[in-house]
């Protein structure tokens, strides 16, 4: 830090120049991110509430109310009006809280959690922190976990089963209905990681698979407004069907204006909650349906182009994510990056993954298809 301060205008000018060196959503070349340009109202709401701290709700009761209303809207959307939870820092914290609650509730000496092989790496972190043994269940040809493999891993140490509704790598939706039955029959917690899919699947035009609290075995759900919800980054969400489960997360906070906290972070962004509240209310279900329809239509367009250009699609896309292969996929991915296209290369499937988020317009999809044609090996 310098001894003397700098003129604020100069500081901001410098920041503006620095920000230009980041990738910009507006170019339409970010195809590897599950986040997107937040909705314009998210920024306004964030600014209005940027000084409020949900870690001390006695000081910010109105922001706490906004958080509760946001959770209630999510609970309603996920088919359990009475579900309770929190706006947190993202899917990682949400998944960590779900496993923490399950671990504390079950009190097993050698806790295990059953995960699909496709589970997000946030569960590796959670297992590491909580000293839970992960047990991985294999996937079928469509990259969905096999329910009988999940069932075969159930034992007296199992504290929870996890499934994913919209996997980070391929957007795959596990057979949650079957796993819900397994969890219920065995009286085991069942956490659904819908960090990505939770704000897409309810808005699919047709055939949306059951993945939420309407399945009676589902006990908790991660759903992130900062992904397809278009809220500010970071805004995550965790919901529990049963309010009693929250007791397993409770930490007393004797000298604060509130007597307890339930989340991992102490100081929590009230601005994040306000941003989600604002986007939910501004868009409504109709608004989200339109956005999802556009993302799916651009995905369909690109999948058609991939097919026409002779690339090999890894599997039929379920959401706005697809993956493909070519002769030397890694080299091809590097070529695309050199041309400014930000795509993911997934080593374990040797494929390129493309996520078609709301910032991708048809003109960008067309430009990407042209680049694929030009750069084809
Ligand atoms: N669960 C699922 C299914 C996810 O897709 C993700 C993140 C998480 C949990 C963890 O969420 P947080 O990152 O909010 O803690 N999925 C993306 C991924 O890892 C996150 C991401 C977003 C990565 C934007 C890059 C990026 O530019 O692929």
């Amino acid at each position: 830090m310098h001894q003397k301060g700098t003129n604020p205008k100069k500081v901001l000018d410098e920041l503006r120049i620095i920000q230009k060196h980041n990738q910009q959503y507006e170019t339409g070349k970010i195809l590897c991110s599950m986040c997107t340009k937040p909705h314009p109202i998210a920024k306004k709401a964030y600014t209005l509430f940027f000084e409020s701290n949900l870690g001390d709700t006695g000081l910010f009761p109105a922001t706490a109310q906004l958080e509760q209303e946001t959770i209630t809207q999510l609970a309603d959307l996920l088919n359990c009006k009475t579900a309770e939870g929190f706006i947190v820092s993202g899917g990682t914290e949400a998944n960590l809280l779900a496993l923490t609650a399950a671990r504390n509730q079950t009190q097993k000496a050698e806790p295990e959690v059953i995960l699909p092989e496709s589970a997000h790496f946030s569960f590796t972190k959670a297992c590491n922190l909580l000293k839970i043994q992960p047990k991985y269940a294999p996937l079928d040809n469509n990259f969905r976990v096999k329910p009988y493999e999940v069932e075969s891993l159930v034992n007296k140490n199992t504290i929870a089963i996890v499934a994913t509704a919209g996997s980070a790598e391929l957007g795959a939706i596990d057979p949650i209905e079957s796993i819900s039955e397994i969890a219920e029959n065995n009286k085991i917690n069942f956490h659904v990681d819908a960090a990505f899919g939770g704000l897409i699947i309810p808005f699919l035009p047709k055939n949306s698979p059951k993945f939420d609290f309407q399945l009676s075995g589902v006990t908790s759900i991660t759903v992130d407004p900062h992904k397809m919800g278009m809220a500010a980054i970071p805004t995550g969400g965790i919901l529990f069907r049963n309010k009693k489960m929250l007791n397993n997360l409770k930490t007393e906070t004797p000298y604060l204006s509130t007597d307890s906290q339930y989340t991992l972070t102490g100081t929590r962004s009230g601005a994040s909650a306000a941003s989600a509240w604002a986007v939910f209310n501004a868009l409504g279900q109709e608004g989200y349906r339109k956005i999802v329809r556009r993302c799916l239509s651009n995905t369909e367009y690109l999948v058609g182009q991939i097919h026409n250009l002779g690339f090999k699609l890894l599997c039929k896309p379920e959401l706005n994510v697809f993956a493909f292969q070519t002769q030397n996929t890694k080299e091809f991915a590097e070529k695309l990056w050199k041309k400014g296209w930000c795509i993911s290369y997934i080593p374990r499937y040797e494929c390129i993954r493309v996520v078609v988020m709301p910032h991708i317009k048809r003109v960008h999809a067309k430009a990407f298809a042209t680049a694929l044609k030009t750069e084809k090996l």
Side-chain angles (χ1 to χ4, degrees):
M1 197 188 290
H2 304 301
Q3 279 301 331
K4 279 194 165 182
T6 311
N7 177 314
K9 189 186 167 299
K10 224 176 134 196
V11 173
L12 284 173
D13 284 346
E14 203 176 329
L15 281 178
R16 281 189 195 101
I17 292 166
I18 293 168
Q19 158 64 356
K20 287 209 178 92
H21 293 285
N22 287 328
Q23 297 287 346
Q24 310 292 326
Y25 292 112
E26 289 83 350
T27 62
K29 288 186 141 186
I30 300 184
L31 294 163
C32 59
S33 171
M34 289 192 149
C35 290
T36 190
K37 176 101 186 163
H39 189 283
I41 203 169
K43 188 171 179 176
K44 291 187 177 141
Y46 196 93
T47 313
L48 272 175
F49 284 80
F50 89 113
E51 60 198 27
S52 63
N53 175 6
L54 284 171
D56 204 357
T57 50
L59 295 182
F60 304 101
T63 316
Q65 176 68 23
L66 280 187
E67 179 188 27
Q68 278 322 300
E69 286 177 24
T70 308
I71 291 294
T72 304
Q73 291 201 39
L74 283 172
D76 191 27
L77 193 69
L78 301 177
N79 289 303
C80 178
K81 282 191 194 324
T82 54
E84 295 207 6
F86 303 94
I87 294 298
V88 293
S89 58
T92 302
E93 186 182 351
N95 288 337
L96 175 70
L97 292 176
L99 290 197
T100 307
R103 193 192 199 291
N104 290 348
Q105 182 213 29
T106 50
Q107 303 275 328
K108 308 263 187 198
E110 293 175 47
E112 294 180 8
V113 59
I114 302 168
L115 299 156
E117 271 176 2
S118 53
H120 186 257
F121 55 77
S122 49
F123 290 101
T124 315
K125 296 181 185 177
C127 287
N128 220 338
L129 286 166
L130 298 167
K131 302 273 181 285
I132 299 173
Q133 189 64 38
K135 295 281 170 186
Y136 288 100
L139 313 181
D140 65 16
N141 292 338
N142 289 313
F143 303 90
R144 300 174 193 149
V145 76
K146 296 178 185 168
Y148 68 87
E149 297 279 8
V150 169
E151 188 152 33
S152 72
L153 290 170
V154 171
N155 67 36
K156 62 176 177 27
N157 295 324
T158 311
I159 61 152
I161 299 173
V162 170
T164 317
S167 66
E169 285 173 325
L170 300 170
I173 304 170
D174 287 324
I176 292 171
E177 194 162 358
S178 308
I179 301 169
S180 168
E181 276 175 29
I182 296 169
E184 207 167 15
N185 291 341
N186 290 279
K187 298 190 172 53
I188 298 172
N189 291 301
F190 180 27
H191 176 67
V192 175
D193 179 2
F196 182 62
L199 283 164
I200 314 174
I201 302 168
F203 308 121
L204 290 176
K206 52 181 185 240
N207 301 334
S208 50
K210 288 185 188 164
F211 76 104
D212 60 20
F213 291 120
Q214 71 184 289
L215 301 170
S216 47
V218 173
T219 49
S220 56
I221 301 179
T222 288
V223 51
D224 285 349
H226 71 193
K227 295 188 168 82
M228 280 299 285
M230 299 182 79
I233 299 170
T235 310
I238 177 71
L239 277 86
F240 292 90
R241 178 193 293 277
N242 188 343
K243 189 181 169 183
K244 278 194 201 141
M245 205 60 181
L246 300 183
N247 292 333
N248 300 300
L249 294 171
K250 193 168 177 172
T251 302
E252 282 173 13
T253 53
Y255 60 88
L256 297 187
S257 61
T258 41
D259 60 1
S260 52
Q261 288 184 355
Y262 297 84
T263 51
L264 176 69
T265 63
T267 296
R268 276 194 304 137
S269 166
S272 289
S275 80
W277 189 94
V279 188
F280 288 3
N281 284 296
L283 286 178
Q285 300 208 21
E286 217 175 76
Y288 276 116
R289 236 174 259 126
K290 259 190 211 155
I291 289 165
V292 166
R293 202 181 310 133
R294 199 162 51 76
C295 291
L296 292 177
S297 149
N298 284 332
T299 307
E300 210 172 294
Y301 165 80
L302 276 172
V303 166
Q305 296 294 313
I306 290 284
H307 182 76
N308 293 345
L309 290 167
F311 293 106
K312 184 173 176 282
L313 207 63
L314 203 67
C315 57
K316 195 175 176 302
E318 290 183 87
L319 300 172
N320 49 337
V321 182
F322 67 90
F324 66 96
Q325 296 167 320
T326 181
Q327 285 92 340
N328 187 342
T329 312
K330 190 159 190 268
E331 196 184 312
F332 190 55
E334 284 161 6
K335 262 172 105 176
L336 289 172
W337 262 96
K338 281 202 187 108
K339 296 285 170 182
W341 292 99
C342 310
I343 38 80
S344 309
Y345 174 71
I346 304 181
R348 72 165 143 179
Y349 305 132
E350 293 180 0
C351 68
I352 290 173
R353 174 194 72 161
V354 174
V355 191
V356 188
M357 293 299 284
H359 59 271
I360 302 300
K361 312 264 181 297
R362 183 55 65 100
V363 52
H364 304 130
K366 283 189 174 164
F368 184 54
T370 307
L372 288 175
K373 193 172 172 184
T374 318
E375 302 300 322
K376 198 167 187 292
L377 292 172

